[in-house]
Coordinates of all heavy atoms in Angstrom, one line a residue:
M1 N 0.8 -1.2 0.0 CA 0.0 0.0 0.0 C 0.9 1.3 0.0 O 2.0 1.2 0.6 CB -0.9 0.0 1.2 CG -1.9 -1.1 1.3 SD -3.1 -0.5 2.4 CE -4.5 -1.4 1.9
E2 N 0.3 2.3 -0.6 CA 1.1 3.6 -0.7 C 0.4 4.6 0.1 O -0.8 4.7 0.2 CB 1.2 3.9 -2.2 CG 2.0 3.0 -2.9 CD 2.1 3.3 -4.4 OE1 1.3 4.2 -4.9 OE2 2.9 2.7 -5.1
L3 N 1.2 5.5 0.7 CA 0.6 6.6 1.5 C 0.3 7.8 0.5 O 1.1 8.2 -0.3 CB 1.7 7.1 2.5 CG 1.4 8.3 3.4 CD1 0.2 7.9 4.3 CD2 2.6 8.6 4.2
Y4 N -0.9 8.3 0.7 CA -1.4 9.5 0.0 C -1.8 10.6 1.0 O -2.3 10.3 2.0 CB -2.6 9.1 -0.9 CG -2.2 8.4 -2.1 CD1 -2.0 7.0 -2.1 CD2 -2.0 9.0 -3.3 CE1 -1.6 6.3 -3.2 CE2 -1.6 8.3 -4.5 CZ -1.4 6.9 -4.4 OH -1.0 6.2 -5.5
T5 N -1.6 11.8 0.5 CA -2.1 13.0 1.4 C -2.9 13.9 0.5 O -2.8 14.0 -0.7 CB -0.9 13.7 2.0 OG1 0.0 14.1 0.9 CG2 -0.1 12.8 2.9
Q6 N -3.6 14.8 1.2 CA -4.4 15.8 0.6 C -4.7 16.9 1.5 O -5.1 16.7 2.7 CB -5.8 15.2 0.2 CG -6.8 16.2 -0.4 CD -8.1 15.6 -0.6 OE1 -8.6 14.9 0.3 NE2 -8.7 15.8 -1.8
Y7 N -4.3 18.1 1.1 CA -4.7 19.3 1.9 C -6.2 19.6 1.7 O -6.7 19.3 0.6 CB -3.8 20.5 1.6 CG -2.5 20.4 2.2 CD1 -1.4 20.0 1.4 CD2 -2.3 20.8 3.5 CE1 -0.1 20.0 2.0 CE2 -1.0 20.7 4.1 CZ 0.1 20.3 3.3 OH 1.3 20.3 3.9
L8 N -6.8 20.1 2.7 CA -8.3 20.3 2.6 C -8.7 21.2 1.4 O -9.8 21.0 0.8 CB -8.8 21.0 3.9 CG -8.7 20.1 5.1 CD1 -9.2 20.9 6.3 CD2 -9.4 18.8 5.0
Y9 N -7.8 22.1 0.9 CA -8.1 23.0 -0.2 C -7.8 22.3 -1.5 O -8.1 22.9 -2.6 CB -7.4 24.3 -0.1 CG -5.9 24.2 0.1 CD1 -5.1 24.0 -1.1 CD2 -5.3 24.2 1.3 CE1 -3.7 23.8 -0.9 CE2 -3.9 24.1 1.4 CZ -3.1 23.9 0.3 OH -1.8 23.7 0.4
E10 N -7.2 21.1 -1.5 CA -6.9 20.4 -2.8 C -8.1 19.4 -3.1 O -8.7 18.9 -2.3 CB -5.6 19.6 -2.6 CG -4.4 20.4 -2.4 CD -3.1 19.6 -2.2 OE1 -3.2 18.5 -1.7 OE2 -2.1 20.1 -2.6
K11 N -8.2 19.2 -4.4 CA -9.2 18.2 -4.9 C -8.7 16.8 -5.0 O -9.5 15.9 -4.8 CB -9.8 18.7 -6.2 CG -10.6 20.0 -6.1 CD -11.2 20.3 -7.4 CE -11.8 21.7 -7.3 NZ -13.2 21.8 -7.7
G12 N -7.4 16.6 -5.3 CA -6.9 15.3 -5.5 C -5.9 14.9 -4.4 O -5.4 15.7 -3.6
W13 N -5.7 13.6 -4.4 CA -4.7 13.0 -3.5 C -3.4 12.9 -4.1 O -3.3 12.6 -5.3 CB -5.2 11.6 -3.0 CG -6.4 11.6 -2.2 CD1 -7.7 11.7 -2.6 CD2 -6.4 11.7 -0.8 NE1 -8.6 11.7 -1.5 CE2 -7.8 11.7 -0.4 CE3 -5.5 11.6 0.2 CZ2 -8.2 11.7 0.9 CZ3 -5.9 11.6 1.5 CH2 -7.2 11.7 1.9
S14 N -2.3 13.1 -3.3 CA -0.9 13.0 -3.9 C -0.2 11.9 -3.2 O -0.2 11.8 -1.9 CB -0.2 14.3 -3.6 OG -0.8 15.4 -4.2
K15 N 0.6 11.1 -4.0 CA 1.4 10.1 -3.4 C 2.5 10.8 -2.6 O 3.1 11.7 -3.0 CB 2.0 9.3 -4.6 CG 2.8 8.1 -4.1 CD 3.2 7.3 -5.3 CE 4.1 6.1 -4.9 NZ 4.6 5.4 -6.1
T16 N 2.8 10.2 -1.4 CA 3.7 10.9 -0.5 C 4.6 9.9 0.2 O 4.3 8.8 0.5 CB 2.8 11.5 0.7 OG1 1.8 12.4 0.1 CG2 3.7 12.4 1.6
T17 N 5.9 10.3 0.3 CA 6.9 9.5 1.0 C 6.8 9.8 2.5 O 6.2 10.7 2.9 CB 8.3 9.9 0.5 OG1 8.6 11.2 1.0 CG2 8.5 9.7 -1.0
K18 N 7.4 8.9 3.3 CA 7.4 9.1 4.7 C 8.1 10.4 5.1 O 7.7 11.0 6.1 CB 8.0 7.9 5.4 CG 7.1 6.7 5.4 CD 7.6 5.5 6.1 CE 6.7 4.3 6.0 NZ 7.1 3.2 6.8
E19 N 9.1 10.7 4.4 CA 9.9 11.9 4.7 C 9.0 13.2 4.5 O 9.0 14.1 5.3 CB 11.2 12.0 3.9 CG 12.2 11.0 4.3 CD 11.9 9.6 3.7 OE1 11.2 9.5 2.7 OE2 12.4 8.7 4.2
Q20 N 8.2 13.2 3.4 CA 7.3 14.3 3.1 C 6.2 14.3 4.2 O 5.8 15.4 4.6 CB 6.7 14.1 1.7 CG 7.7 14.3 0.6 CD 7.1 13.9 -0.7 OE1 6.3 12.9 -0.8 NE2 7.5 14.6 -1.8
A21 N 5.7 13.2 4.6 CA 4.7 13.1 5.6 C 5.2 13.7 6.9 O 4.5 14.4 7.6 CB 4.2 11.7 5.8
L22 N 6.4 13.3 7.3 CA 7.0 13.9 8.5 C 7.1 15.4 8.4 O 6.8 16.1 9.4 CB 8.4 13.3 8.7 CG 8.5 11.9 9.3 CD1 9.9 11.4 9.3 CD2 7.9 11.9 10.7
R23 N 7.5 15.9 7.3 CA 7.6 17.4 7.1 C 6.2 18.0 7.2 O 6.0 19.1 7.9 CB 8.2 17.7 5.8 CG 8.6 19.2 5.6 CD 9.4 19.4 4.4 NE 8.9 18.8 3.2 CZ 9.6 17.8 2.5 NH1 10.8 17.5 2.8 NH2 9.0 17.3 1.4
M24 N 5.2 17.4 6.7 CA 3.8 17.9 6.8 C 3.3 17.9 8.2 O 2.7 18.9 8.7 CB 2.9 17.0 5.9 CG 3.1 17.1 4.4 SD 2.2 15.9 3.6 CE 1.4 16.9 2.3
I25 N 3.6 16.8 8.9 CA 3.2 16.8 10.3 C 3.9 17.9 11.2 O 3.3 18.5 12.0 CB 3.5 15.4 10.9 CG1 2.7 14.3 10.3 CG2 3.4 15.3 12.4 CD1 3.1 12.9 10.5
Q26 N 5.2 18.1 10.9 CA 5.9 19.1 11.6 C 5.3 20.5 11.3 O 5.3 21.4 12.2 CB 7.4 19.1 11.2 CG 8.1 17.9 11.8 CD 9.5 17.7 11.3 OE1 9.9 18.3 10.2 NE2 10.3 17.0 12.0
Q27 N 4.8 20.7 10.1 CA 4.2 22.0 9.8 C 2.9 22.2 10.4 O 2.5 23.2 10.9 CB 4.1 22.1 8.2 CG 5.4 22.3 7.5 CD 5.2 22.3 6.0 OE1 4.1 21.9 5.5 NE2 6.2 22.6 5.3
E28 N 2.1 21.1 10.5 CA 0.7 21.2 11.0 C 0.7 21.2 12.5 O -0.1 21.8 13.1 CB -0.1 20.0 10.5 CG -0.4 20.0 9.0 CD -1.3 21.2 8.6 OE1 -2.2 21.5 9.4 OE2 -1.0 21.8 7.6
M29 N 1.7 20.4 13.2 CA 1.7 20.3 14.6 C 3.2 20.5 15.1 O 3.8 19.4 15.4 CB 1.1 19.0 15.1 CG -0.4 18.9 14.8 SD -1.1 17.4 15.5 CE -0.9 17.8 17.2
P30 N 3.7 21.6 15.1 CA 5.1 21.8 15.5 C 5.5 21.4 16.9 O 6.6 21.0 17.2 CB 5.4 23.3 15.2 CG 4.1 23.9 15.1 CD 3.1 22.9 14.7
Q31 N 4.5 21.4 17.8 CA 4.7 21.0 19.2 C 4.7 19.5 19.4 O 5.2 19.1 20.5 CB 3.7 21.7 20.1 CG 2.3 21.1 20.0 CD 1.5 21.5 18.8 OE1 2.0 22.2 17.9 NE2 0.2 21.1 18.8
A32 N 4.3 18.7 18.4 CA 4.1 17.3 18.6 C 5.4 16.6 18.1 O 6.2 17.1 17.3 CB 2.9 16.8 17.8
D33 N 5.5 15.4 18.6 CA 6.6 14.5 18.2 C 6.2 13.9 16.8 O 5.3 13.1 16.7 CB 6.9 13.4 19.2 CG 7.9 12.4 18.8 OD1 8.6 12.6 17.7 OD2 8.1 11.4 19.5
A34 N 6.8 14.4 15.7 CA 6.4 14.0 14.4 C 6.6 12.5 14.1 O 5.7 11.9 13.5 CB 7.2 14.8 13.4
E35 N 7.7 11.9 14.6 CA 7.9 10.5 14.4 C 6.8 9.6 15.1 O 6.3 8.7 14.4 CB 9.3 10.1 15.0 CG 10.5 10.6 14.3 CD 10.8 9.9 13.0 OE1 10.4 8.7 12.9 OE2 11.5 10.5 12.2
A36 N 6.5 10.0 16.3 CA 5.4 9.2 17.0 C 4.0 9.5 16.4 O 3.2 8.5 16.3 CB 5.4 9.7 18.5
T37 N 3.8 10.7 15.9 CA 2.5 11.0 15.2 C 2.4 10.2 13.9 O 1.3 9.6 13.7 CB 2.4 12.5 15.0 OG1 2.5 13.2 16.2 CG2 1.1 12.8 14.4
L38 N 3.5 10.2 13.2 CA 3.5 9.4 11.9 C 3.2 7.9 12.2 O 2.5 7.2 11.5 CB 4.7 9.6 11.1 CG 4.8 8.8 9.8 CD1 3.7 9.2 8.9 CD2 6.1 9.1 9.1
K39 N 3.9 7.4 13.2 CA 3.7 6.0 13.6 C 2.2 5.7 13.9 O 1.6 4.7 13.4 CB 4.6 5.6 14.8 CG 4.5 4.2 15.2 CD 5.4 3.9 16.4 CE 5.2 2.5 16.8 NZ 5.9 2.2 18.1
Y40 N 1.6 6.6 14.7 CA 0.2 6.4 15.0 C -0.7 6.5 13.8 O -1.6 5.7 13.6 CB -0.2 7.5 16.0 CG -1.7 7.6 16.2 CD1 -2.4 6.7 17.1 CD2 -2.5 8.5 15.6 CE1 -3.7 6.7 17.3 CE2 -3.9 8.5 15.8 CZ -4.5 7.6 16.6 OH -5.8 7.6 16.8
I41 N -0.4 7.5 12.9 CA -1.2 7.6 11.7 C -1.1 6.4 10.8 O -2.1 5.8 10.3 CB -0.7 8.9 10.9 CG1 -1.1 10.1 11.6 CG2 -1.3 8.8 9.4 CD1 -0.6 11.4 11.0
L42 N 0.1 5.8 10.7 CA 0.3 4.6 9.9 C -0.4 3.4 10.5 O -1.0 2.6 9.7 CB 1.8 4.3 9.7 CG 2.6 5.4 8.9 CD1 4.1 5.0 8.9 CD2 2.1 5.5 7.5
E43 N -0.4 3.3 11.8 CA -1.2 2.2 12.5 C -2.7 2.3 12.2 O -3.3 1.3 11.9 CB -0.9 2.3 14.0 CG 0.5 1.8 14.4 CD 0.8 2.1 15.8 OE1 -0.1 2.6 16.6 OE2 1.9 1.7 16.3
Q44 N -3.2 3.5 12.2 CA -4.6 3.7 12.0 C -5.0 3.5 10.5 O -6.0 3.0 10.2 CB -5.0 5.1 12.4 CG -4.9 5.4 13.9 CD -5.6 4.3 14.8 OE1 -6.8 4.1 14.5 NE2 -4.9 3.7 15.7
L45 N -4.1 3.9 9.6 CA -4.3 3.7 8.2 C -4.3 2.2 7.9 O -5.1 1.8 7.0 CB -3.3 4.4 7.4 CG -3.2 5.9 7.5 CD1 -2.1 6.5 6.6 CD2 -4.6 6.5 7.1
Q46 N -3.5 1.4 8.6 CA -3.5 0.0 8.4 C -4.9 -0.6 8.7 O -5.3 -1.7 8.2 CB -2.5 -0.7 9.3 CG -1.1 -0.4 9.0 CD -0.6 -1.3 7.8 OE1 -1.1 -2.3 7.5 NE2 0.5 -0.8 7.2
K47 N -5.7 0.0 9.6 CA -7.0 -0.4 10.0 C -8.1 0.1 9.0 O -9.3 -0.2 9.2 CB -7.4 0.1 11.3 CG -6.5 -0.4 12.4 CD -6.8 0.2 13.8 CE -5.9 -0.3 14.8 NZ -6.1 0.3 16.1
G48 N -7.7 0.8 7.9 CA -8.6 1.2 6.9 C -9.2 2.6 7.1 O -10.1 3.0 6.4
K49 N -8.6 3.3 8.1 CA -9.1 4.6 8.4 C -8.4 5.7 7.6 O -7.3 5.5 7.1 CB -9.0 4.9 9.9 CG -9.8 4.0 10.8 CD -9.5 4.3 12.2 CE -10.3 3.4 13.1 NZ -10.2 3.7 14.5
A50 N -9.0 6.8 7.4 CA -8.4 8.0 6.9 C -8.2 9.0 8.1 O -9.1 9.1 8.9 CB -9.2 8.7 5.8
I51 N -7.1 9.7 8.2 CA -6.8 10.5 9.3 C -6.6 12.0 8.8 O -5.9 12.2 7.8 CB -5.4 10.1 10.0 CG1 -5.5 8.6 10.4 CG2 -5.1 11.0 11.1 CD1 -6.5 8.4 11.5
T52 N -7.2 12.9 9.5 CA -7.1 14.3 9.3 C -6.3 14.9 10.4 O -6.6 14.7 11.6 CB -8.4 15.0 9.2 OG1 -9.2 14.4 8.1 CG2 -8.3 16.5 8.9
L53 N -5.2 15.7 10.0 CA -4.4 16.3 11.0 C -4.3 17.8 10.5 O -3.6 18.1 9.5 CB -3.0 15.7 11.0 CG -2.0 16.2 12.0 CD1 -2.4 15.9 13.4 CD2 -0.6 15.6 11.7
G54 N -4.9 18.7 11.2 CA -4.9 20.1 10.8 C -5.6 20.2 9.5 O -6.7 19.9 9.3
E55 N -4.8 20.7 8.5 CA -5.3 21.0 7.2 C -5.0 19.8 6.2 O -5.3 19.9 5.0 CB -4.7 22.2 6.6 CG -5.1 23.5 7.3 CD -6.5 24.0 6.9 OE1 -6.8 24.0 5.7 OE2 -7.2 24.5 7.8
C56 N -4.5 18.7 6.7 CA -4.0 17.6 5.9 C -4.6 16.3 6.2 O -4.8 16.0 7.4 CB -2.4 17.5 6.0 SG -1.7 16.4 4.9
R57 N -5.0 15.5 5.2 CA -5.5 14.2 5.3 C -4.5 13.2 4.8 O -3.8 13.4 3.9 CB -6.8 14.1 4.5 CG -7.9 14.9 5.0 CD -9.2 14.6 4.3 NE -9.9 15.8 4.1 CZ -10.7 16.1 3.2 NH1 -11.0 15.2 2.2 NH2 -11.4 17.2 3.1
F58 N -4.6 12.0 5.5 CA -3.7 10.9 5.1 C -4.6 9.7 4.9 O -5.6 9.4 5.5 CB -2.7 10.6 6.3 CG -1.8 11.7 6.6 CD1 -2.2 12.7 7.5 CD2 -0.5 11.7 6.1 CE1 -1.3 13.7 7.9 CE2 0.4 12.7 6.5 CZ -0.1 13.7 7.3
K59 N -4.2 8.8 3.9 CA -4.8 7.6 3.6 C -3.9 6.6 2.9 O -2.9 7.1 2.3 CB -6.1 7.8 2.8 CG -5.9 8.1 1.3 CD -7.2 8.0 0.6 CE -6.9 8.2 -0.9 NZ -8.1 8.0 -1.7
F60 N -4.2 5.4 2.9 CA -3.5 4.4 2.1 C -4.3 4.0 0.9 O -5.6 4.0 1.0 CB -3.3 3.1 2.9 CG -2.1 3.0 3.8 CD1 -2.1 2.2 4.9 CD2 -1.0 3.7 3.5 CE1 -1.0 2.2 5.7 CE2 0.2 3.6 4.3 CZ 0.1 2.8 5.4
A61 N -3.7 3.8 -0.2 CA -4.4 3.3 -1.4 C -3.6 2.2 -2.0 O -2.4 2.1 -1.9 CB -4.5 4.5 -2.4
P62 N -4.3 1.2 -2.6 CA -3.6 0.0 -3.1 C -2.8 0.4 -4.4 O -2.9 1.4 -5.0 CB -4.8 -0.9 -3.5 CG -6.0 -0.1 -3.4 CD -5.7 1.1 -2.7

């Protein structure tokens, strides 16, 4: 599965690397531990959920 992200103002989803996702998390929540937050997001995505963090959404796609 591949990680995709979408900002709320965008219409389409973009394929995203883990490094890019970490940077997005740091921008959206600078006070949070980005590594731990990404780990949590990936765990939830494995369960088939989509996660919204600030202005950004994360999902897995086949």
Side-chain angles (χ1 to χ4, degrees):
M1 295 200 156
E2 296 177 347
L3 179 63
Y4 284 82
T5 57
Q6 176 188 43
Y7 282 100
L8 297 178
Y9 56 82
E10 295 178 328
K11 294 184 186 229
W13 290 86
S14 301
K15 187 175 174 181
T16 306
T17 65
K18 288 185 180 181
E19 292 79 21
Q20 291 170 324
L22 281 172
R23 191 171 45 241
M24 294 169 130
I25 292 167
Q26 289 171 341
Q27 290 174 348
E28 293 295 321
M29 295 187 66
Q31 73 282 5
D33 178 4
E35 293 279 341
T37 304
L38 180 59
K39 182 180 176 186
Y40 171 79
I41 289 171
L42 294 175
E43 288 171 358
Q44 296 305 306
L45 296 179
Q46 291 280 341
K47 297 177 184 177
K49 298 180 179 182
I51 303 293
T52 302
L53 181 70
E55 297 278 321
C56 188
R57 292 185 216 157
F58 298 85
K59 76 172 186 173
F60 273 151

